[in-house]
Structure formats: C-alpha cells, structure tokens
Amino acid sequence: MTTNLTIGERVAWYRRRRGMSQEVLAGLVGRTVDWLSKAENNRIELDRLSVIKSLADALDVTLGDLLAEPTLLDWTVDSGRRTVPALRSALMNYRQLTPLLGVTTEGEPTSLDELRSSVAEVWDAYQDSRYAFATRRLPLLLADALIAAQAYQGREREKAHELMAMTYQGAAMVLTKLGEADLAWIAADRGLAAAQQSGNAVVTGSLFRSVAHCLLSTGRFDAATQLVGDAGEYLRPGLDNANPAFLSIYGTLFLAGSMAAARAEDRATTQAFLAEADQAARQLGADANHAWTAFGPTNVAIHRVATAAELGDMQVAVDLGPQIDTSSLPTERRTRHNLEVARALSAHNRMDDAMAKILEAESWAPEQVRNHYLARELVLTWVRNQKGRPSRNLADLANRLHVI
C-alpha cells in the first residue's frame, strides 16, 4: 500500500478487498456503522493503536499494513545505496544460526575496545535519530561481532557476547523505527541469546526491553505486557545492590511495559508499571543515559503522557505534555514526545499548535519524523480535511514526509 492513504482509507481498501460490508466490520470491532464510515472518510482520527489493531485483526492483516509500514528508507549521504536489504542479508546469514555445522566466520577478530567503540557509535546514531547512518554501519558491525564471539575465549568471550548482544539490539531498535518488525524480531531474538551467554544481567535486561518493543510493533500488546512482568520478576533480585545501569535498564523495561499495557487497554497494569519505573527513577535520582536508556524522572513523565494518549485520555496528554522539559534528553526521546503532544493537540482540533510541534521535531530529527506513522498520519489527515488548498507550510511538510 502506498503511503498517500490515511489509516482510515487503508481500512476501507482492505475491507472492500475482503468483500466485507461496513456493517460486518463495524460489528466485528464493536463499533457502529456511523463510526466506521467516519473513520474511513477521515472525519475522526484513528490515532490509538489498540483500535487500529482491532481493525487489523478483523481484516486479517498486520498492524503494519494499516500503518503503511515498513517505510522506504531514503538514500542519503549517510546511507549510501545499500540500506535495509544489506542489513537483512546480514541478519539472515545462516552461520549465525547454530554451531552444529562447524562453520566459523573467516577473518581476524576486531579488538574488544574497537568493537565497543563501534557499538557505541551505532547506539549514539540511534539516539540522534540518524537511522540511515546506523543502518549502513550495522551489517559490517554484526560480522565483526560474530567473529569476535567465536574467536575469543574465557572472560574476553563473555565481553564479546555482551557487545554482540548490544549490536543486535541496536539493529532491532533501528529496524523497529523503520517499521521492519519481522527483521527487528530476528535481531532481538539473536541479541537475547547472545546476552544470556554473556552472563551480564544489565545486557540481558536491555534485550528483554528490545523484545518487548518488537512485540509492541507487531501489535502483540498482551504478550509484551506479560513479558515485562516476567522479565521484571527475573531482574528484581538484582535491585538489592543495583548500580545505576541496572536501575536504568530495569526502569526502562517497565516504561516499555506501560506502553504495552496501555495499548492493551489495561489501566491498572499501566499504572502499576509506571509506578515501578517511577520508583527506579527516584532511586536513580536524576536523568541519565546509562546503557543508552535516557532513563530518569523525565522519561517517566514522558511515558505518563504517552500512555494517557494510548488510553484515550487526550486531555491529560494536552495538560501535561507541553509542560515537560525534554531539553536534556537525547534527540530520539525529545522527538517522540513532541509527536505524542502533537497527537493530543490535534485531537483537540488545535492543528496549528500540533503542526508546530511536528515542525520542531523535524528540525531535530527529520529521519525519525519521516518514518513515524503518527507524523505521517497527522499530516496526511490535515491535508485531506483542508477546505481548498493547504497552506504552504503544511504542503511543504507533507511533501517532505512523502505522503502526497
């Protein structure tokens, strides 16, 4: 499906493709025909993933089908002309599947210090919302990490597995941002296996978070909620003598869980997970970026806004969102928060204020805004609902996002 259809228009397209009437689809999702008609004609916004997922299930399509994901990664100076397909090839290298074949990857192992520096470079790019750069670097980095994990022995081998796990997680996080949910799952699964071989609880906890994000991206909200609960129980004994990195991983895991619970429309679990994260943030004491988590009180506040929006409490998001100062956080977190505030403002018919938030976010992170379904959906819906020609600012933004 092309990106110049709104979510509602895609629902209508798939409904007709299935030979299904509005009456039947509305009944399957527990809505009225009037509601569905308005959704398909852009008179109400489909901005809650729980609702979109119910429509996807009824139509027997993926959540990504209705969100128009994955998106095409633009060729840039950072990306070159080999982007996601090259990363896909690296992830589908059969030599990574099993040692039973006795196949080892050829090449001299990179020093652990050099490998650690390359992993940090990719994660820094992720937090700077430079997905093209990270996508270009990851295939070679995955190969280097695999060689190191096979070549080193003893404690050095454990360190190599830590770095391989974080490389896979970096790939999973970037691919999730690009809407490549299936590839992200492969990366997260491989990363969790490497993390377990490292014996490092912080790295293992970090990969649990990545698996939760992959479940979220495919609409498996209940499974993600359950995973976070189980992973939390596994990690909780480590809180007795937790260092800042462990606290950050633990808290961030529950922030991911709060989003899963909100999308599953489970208010009680949402609040319980936010409270668990808040306790970890209080224990940490201040915003930080241990293990690339951007965790602390501000990130908890951001998730209070995001979960309120997912639960349909847009007034809460409008009241709280603009008050949060995100200036000390990495670009990825600041941008994501701006998109949430824009969603809430748009729901209150404050299009100009919402567009200002998106434009501000675009000035920080054009790749992230271009590849996020919320930005694309909001802008396209505004264009569709304009009476007459859209303003120059709106038309230019829509062109940059490739939605018209």
Side-chain angles (χ1 to χ4, degrees):
M1 297 293 291
T2 57
T3 55
N4 61 357
L5 297 181
T6 65
I7 293 172
E9 289 165 350
R10 288 188 201 99
V11 169
W13 190 93
Y14 281 113
R15 177 180 60 76
R16 290 190 290 268
R17 180 69 178 79
R18 292 293 187 200
M20 190 182 295
S21 68
Q22 286 187 329
E23 289 79 5
V24 169
L25 180 56
L28 288 173
V29 297
R31 300 282 182 160
T32 66
V33 174
D34 180 63
W35 177 88
L36 180 60
S37 177
K38 288 178 178 176
E40 290 185 349
N41 288 283
N42 305 316
R43 286 182 284 162
I44 59 174
E45 293 180 356
L46 289 173
D47 55 5
R48 295 176 59 200
L49 284 177
S50 59
V51 176
I52 300 168
K53 180 61 166 56
S54 69
L55 288 163
D57 288 345
L59 292 166
D60 191 29
V61 299
T62 69
L63 181 62
D65 288 329
L66 294 187
L67 300 181
E69 290 185 333
T71 53
L72 184 66
L73 184 61
D74 290 337
W75 284 338
T76 66
V77 173
D78 275 347
S79 72
R81 295 204 169 200
R82 289 280 289 158
T83 56
V84 174
L87 183 49
R88 178 181 288 109
S89 295
L91 288 169
M92 298 184 75
N93 181 351
Y94 77 92
R95 296 180 178 185
Q96 301 178 42
L97 296 179
T98 176
L100 295 179
L101 299 177
V103 178
T104 57
T105 303
E106 297 179 356
E108 288 295 318
T110 304
S111 74
L112 292 180
D113 285 342
E114 184 178 345
L115 191 60
R116 187 175 294 107
S117 177
S118 295
V119 171
E121 185 179 42
V122 165
W123 270 94
D124 288 344
Y126 167 77
Q127 289 198 319
D128 288 340
S129 303
R130 296 171 58 211
Y131 305 139
F133 176 86
T135 301
R136 185 174 188 173
R137 290 286 291 117
L138 276 163
L140 180 58
L141 181 55
L142 284 169
D144 287 344
L146 181 60
I147 292 171
Q150 292 175 343
Y152 288 112
Q153 299 297 323
R155 180 58 184 145
E156 286 188 327
R157 183 166 187 162
E158 292 178 351
K159 291 289 187 182
H161 275 102
E162 289 177 15
L163 293 170
M164 184 162 70
M166 294 304 292
T167 301
Y168 275 121
Q169 186 180 6
M173 300 295 275
V174 170
L175 288 165
T176 298
K177 291 292 189 183
L178 299 177
E180 296 281 356
D182 293 340
L183 285 180
W185 177 263
I186 293 172
D189 178 67
R190 300 258 178 86
L192 186 56
Q196 290 170 316
Q197 292 191 60
S198 77
N200 186 318
V202 169
V203 174
T204 300
S206 189
L207 267 297
F208 281 140
R209 172 172 64 110
S210 196
V211 173
H213 279 298
C214 289
L215 291 171
L216 278 173
S217 69
T218 55
R220 298 182 63 194
F221 307 140
D222 289 325
T225 303
Q226 184 64 50
L227 168 69
V228 169
D230 292 342
E233 287 298 318
Y234 173 82
L235 294 171
R236 193 164 284 120
L239 291 175
D240 292 338
N241 55 358
N243 61 24
F246 188 95
L247 282 173
S248 299
I249 289 295
Y250 183 83
T252 308
L253 174 69
F254 278 95
L255 291 183
S258 72
M259 293 299 296
R263 290 173 184 173
E265 301 189 281
D266 183 344
R267 289 179 178 270
T269 303
T270 300
Q271 295 306 315
F273 282 0
L274 284 172
E276 194 78 15
D278 185 59
Q279 178 60 37
R282 291 175 185 273
Q283 194 171 342
L284 186 64
D287 292 331
N289 195 28
H290 301 289
W292 295 282
T293 56
F295 183 69
T298 302
N299 208 346
V300 175
I302 284 174
H303 280 76
R304 291 195 189 281
V305 171
T307 53
E310 291 292 350
L311 289 165
D313 300 332
M314 293 298 181
Q315 187 62 56
V316 174
V318 167
D319 291 342
L320 295 181
Q323 300 178 23
I324 300 174
D325 179 8
T326 63
S327 58
S328 64
L329 297 186
T331 299
E332 183 274 331
R333 287 287 77 210
R334 299 178 69 198
T335 301
R336 185 68 181 85
H337 178 64
N338 262 40
L339 296 182
E340 286 293 351
V341 174
R343 167 167 61 164
L345 291 169
S346 182
H348 280 68
N349 296 314
R350 294 171 56 183
M351 191 195 87
D352 289 343
D353 292 336
M355 188 165 70
K357 285 292 181 183
I358 291 181
L359 288 171
E360 182 180 46
E362 188 193 30
S363 72
W364 302 331
E367 289 184 50
Q368 185 174 352
V369 172
R370 158 74 180 89
N371 287 288
H372 202 287
Y373 87 92
L374 261 182
R376 298 195 309 270
E377 181 66 14
L378 287 172
V379 171
L380 185 55
T381 300
W382 296 338
V383 170
R384 288 281 197 277
N385 291 336
Q386 288 287 300
K387 295 179 180 178
R389 296 174 63 86
S391 69
R392 173 56 63 86
N393 280 345
L394 178 56
D396 287 348
L397 177 59
N399 276 318
R400 292 195 298 276
L401 300 189
H402 306 318
V403 295
I404 60 172

